[in-house]
Amino acid sequence: MTNSEIVDLLEQTARLMELHDQDAFRTRAFQTAAFNLDKSTENLGQLPANELVKLPGVGKAVAGKIREMIETGHLSDLDDLLSITPSGVLDMFRIKGLGVKKVRTLWRELGIDNLSDLKRAGENGEIAKIKGFGANTQEKILAALEFLQEQQGKVRMDKAAMLANLLHDELTKHFDRVEISGQVRRKAQEVDTVQLLVQTSDPVSAGLLLNGLPNLTQNKLNSSPFVWRGQVEGFDVVVELLFYPAEQMDRQLFIHTATDAHLKQVGIGGASLLEAAYNSPDTAEAAIYQRAGLPYIVPEMREDDYAFRWASRHQADELVTWEDLRGTLHNHSTWSDGKQSVAAMAAYCRELGLTYFGIADHSKTASYANGLDVDRVRQQQQEIDQLNAGFGAVGTDNAFRIFKGIESDILGDGSLDYDDETLATFDYVVASVHQTLTMSQEKATTRLLRAIENPYTTILGHPTGRLLLAREGYPIDHRAIIEACAEHKVVIEINASPYRLDIDWRWIDYAMQQGVMLSINPDAHDLAGLLDMHYGVAIGRKGGLTKAMTFNALTLAEMSTYLADRKAGTAGR
């Protein structure tokens, strides 16, 4: 059992204990343990109870519960609570803005125990009448319900890729060739169907074999002799396995990777890309594009005709790759809400072959994330100076540098949450919105514009604040924001966390056309989080991001010069 699974079970137990008005002291013990263990770098599954109690926030009773989870895969307290809680009440916790107290009130006072009844009560105006709710809360609940309904049956890019790879590894034990296709191969940020092609000359036997595999459940109504559709246990997304003989695999991989809109594009010979795919004697993907008289498009970009407009100005080999990245600039450490020290994060960056690491811990307004006040900023910067003294200088073989950054909160009026004297001490500033996310488009845009105009803003962080499948981004005028970044030489972040992937890939090309560079930032809170830049590269490529316009593809020497020149220019204003 992983640390995150243990923390999730503790949090769910505490939530349901509070929902059912159980002992407040025990509830608090579970909450405290979950909060502290979420930051732990220890492998909790390997620790005995007498070692668990040495961790912050973990008492003897909770340590015993953790050992029960590890040894049995269950927690009896949680099982008991789930048995007396309607599943629809659990679903209500997914609604943004509904905490335990509000869910308990809706359940007990209105008798609402499912999302359908919740929606009906909102539409009838019953929620607004409850003390502590009001019309505004009712409106937000209805909006959140609509958003959840739209996201139903989808998973994020990272979970889709994990499932696709698990299926691929299992199926290759039984079939000569298996290929990941569809949305996963196109690197869609949200996936509603995980699709793979399976090579077989006997689809009936293949289907029977699949039905005998563990954790696979077929949807017989939606399946056919040539297509197996169903689900994998633990994943709320459709799985589609298509059976083809060996001679059809390459052709069908090409066809199923692209959308219909992409395949309808007509080349100089008058034939569509789909027609070329079926008529080309050479089924290699580049050959199919060539037969259609169209430029080659990488799998990530095969969405619609946009890719061909991009290809009129660029070549596929201009697209950014993982190997092009030279450093990373939006990361957190134990100074704020990260799980590893600055030194450990920097050391792992060196293992990855990167030549610089930018620390951008949370700023003082983010008290919930242990944000840094001015005194702690100075202390962290002193630590960074000491660490940098042990690295090779720019131009040497082992050159490496930690850049002093901060993720400064953009306040409601668009100002940053440090004074100019403090902002001037950083090598760069990532300006991000974390609070007050319900502004109108006009106010939200004005807020960001003011932050962009601040001479100390280097990078605009996760511009819309969205959380994929969980929270819509706040509405902004993307064109106005991008154009302002161009005017003030501000870089825009592609937040590479698979929970965000923000700025949306559809705006990348417009940003490049305006001369705005984009930074693939992992927003890493631990070592593994640094690898999220893989998702950022995928989304960058999907949007047509070139190496030349990728900020953190700059070499250490180039980045050092850029930041120094910008800092000098700001000081001169």
Side-chain angles (χ1 to χ4, degrees), residues 300-518:
E300 299 95 320
M301 297 180 73
R302 296 175 193 171
E303 292 286 349
D304 50 31
D305 62 342
Y306 145 74
F308 296 106
R309 296 195 301 274
W310 180 91
S312 69
R313 294 175 275 111
H314 300 283
Q315 299 293 321
D317 60 6
E318 295 177 44
L319 289 168
V320 67
T321 66
W322 170 267
E323 290 73 21
D324 293 328
L325 302 184
R326 295 291 176 262
T328 171
L329 293 168
H330 181 175
N331 306 284
H332 300 271
S333 73
T334 49
W335 280 93
S336 64
D337 63 344
K339 294 184 178 180
Q340 264 89 26
S341 66
V342 174
M345 295 286 278
Y348 190 55
C349 283
R350 297 189 78 184
E351 288 182 32
L352 294 176
L354 302 176
T355 55
Y356 52 89
F357 168 72
I359 187 65
D361 272 311
H362 285 288
S363 57
K364 63 180 183 179
T365 300
S367 56
Y368 57 87
N370 193 28
L372 279 65
D373 60 23
V374 175
D375 287 340
R376 295 181 67 227
V377 165
R378 294 194 187 98
Q379 293 169 28
Q380 185 188 62
Q381 291 182 350
Q382 289 171 1
E383 177 185 302
I384 292 170
D385 286 337
Q386 294 170 359
L387 291 169
N388 277 334
F391 300 134
V394 177
T396 62
D397 290 341
N398 64 338
F400 188 85
R401 183 173 175 186
I402 302 172
F403 288 111
K404 304 170 188 173
I406 196 75
E407 185 179 20
S408 183
D409 265 31
I410 300 174
L411 303 179
D413 63 356
S415 59
L416 304 186
D417 64 340
Y418 290 114
D419 58 32
D420 287 357
E421 182 180 356
T422 303
L423 290 171
T425 66
F426 299 106
D427 293 321
Y428 69 99
V429 173
V430 179
S432 305
V433 170
H434 290 107
Q435 302 178 63
T436 316
L437 306 179
T438 56
M439 291 182 172
S440 66
Q441 178 171 314
E442 182 180 1
K443 288 185 177 180
T445 300
T446 300
R447 179 190 197 182
L448 290 187
L449 289 175
R450 184 177 177 194
I452 292 165
E453 292 166 1
N454 190 309
Y456 291 100
T457 297
T458 315
I459 301 172
L460 178 63
H462 46 71
T464 74
R466 74 181 183 185
L467 293 175
L468 293 171
L469 303 181
R471 181 178 74 201
E472 286 187 283
Y474 41 85
I476 60 172
D477 183 337
H478 279 82
R479 289 182 181 273
I481 295 301
I482 290 169
E483 289 162 8
C485 286
E487 179 182 354
H488 296 281
K489 301 293 188 289
V490 170
V491 177
I492 294 179
E493 172 178 274
I494 299 176
N495 190 291
S497 166
Y499 289 85
R500 291 188 183 273
L501 301 177
D502 184 16
I503 190 170
D504 190 271
W505 64 268
R506 297 166 183 84
W507 288 102
I508 290 173
D509 190 49
Y510 185 73
M512 292 198 307
Q513 290 183 48
Q514 302 306 307
V516 177
M517 296 191 79
L518 296 109

Side-chain angles (χ1 to χ4, degrees), residues 274-293:
L274 180 60
E275 291 171 325
Y278 277 116
N279 295 326
S280 177
D282 186 346
T283 57
E285 295 188 331
I288 292 172
Y289 280 104
Q290 186 175 17
R291 184 176 181 86

Side-chain angles (χ1 to χ4, degrees), residues 127-148:
I127 295 174
K129 298 174 184 177
I130 303 174
K131 184 179 178 181
F133 283 75
N136 189 38
T137 298
Q138 178 175 272
E139 185 179 332
K140 290 178 180 178
I141 289 173
L142 288 172
L145 282 167
E146 183 179 355
F147 179 74
L148 278 180

Side-chain angles (χ1 to χ4, degrees), residues 46-173:
Q46 300 298 317
L47 297 181
N50 64 337
E51 291 296 325
L52 287 168
V53 296
K54 296 177 183 179
L55 300 177
V58 180
K60 184 177 179 180
V62 173
K65 300 298 181 183
I66 294 172
R67 287 308 310 169
E68 180 187 343
M69 295 181 214
I70 294 166
E71 292 166 9
T72 69
H74 292 276
L75 181 58
S76 57
D77 296 60
L78 178 57
D79 291 341
D80 292 343
L81 289 163
L82 288 171
S83 70
I84 59 173
T85 309
S87 60
V89 172
L90 298 176
D91 290 337
M92 288 162 64
F93 285 111
R94 298 167 58 202
I95 303 297
K96 179 187 173 185
L98 284 188
V100 175
K101 292 179 180 179
K102 280 189 166 63
V103 170
R104 184 169 57 220
T105 299
L106 290 166
W107 182 22
R108 292 186 176 173
E109 293 192 16
L110 287 187
I112 296 172
D113 62 3
N114 60 77
L115 296 183
S116 296
D117 286 352
L118 181 64
K119 182 179 181 182
R120 190 178 302 111
E123 291 172 340
N124 293 338
E126 296 173 33
I127 295 174
K129 298 174 184 177
I130 303 174
K131 184 179 178 181
F133 283 75
N136 189 38
T137 298
Q138 178 175 272
E139 185 179 332
K140 290 178 180 178
I141 289 173
L142 288 172
L145 282 167
E146 183 179 355
F147 179 74
L148 278 180
Q149 188 172 5
E150 292 173 355
Q151 309 309 313
Q152 191 171 3
K154 296 180 182 179
V155 293
R156 297 187 313 270
M157 169 193 281
D158 57 325
K159 285 196 171 183
M162 178 175 68
L163 175 56
N165 286 318
L166 286 172
L167 285 167
H168 179 273
D169 291 347
E170 177 61 30
L171 294 177
T172 51
K173 299 174 184 176

Side-chain angles (χ1 to χ4, degrees), residues 225-281:
F226 303 99
V227 181
W228 186 99
R229 292 189 179 93
Q231 286 190 306
V232 174
E233 183 179 347
F235 292 88
D236 184 24
V237 66
V238 171
V239 170
E240 185 175 77
L241 307 176
L242 309 177
F243 304 136
Y244 288 105
E247 63 272 15
Q248 283 290 324
M249 284 291 287
D250 287 343
R251 191 188 317 276
Q252 294 300 330
L253 178 61
F254 174 81
I255 291 170
H256 287 288
T257 295
T259 65
D260 290 343
H262 188 78
L263 293 171
K264 288 178 181 177
Q265 298 305 304
V266 176
I268 56 176
S272 71
L273 192 54
L274 180 60
E275 291 171 325
Y278 277 116
N279 295 326
S280 177

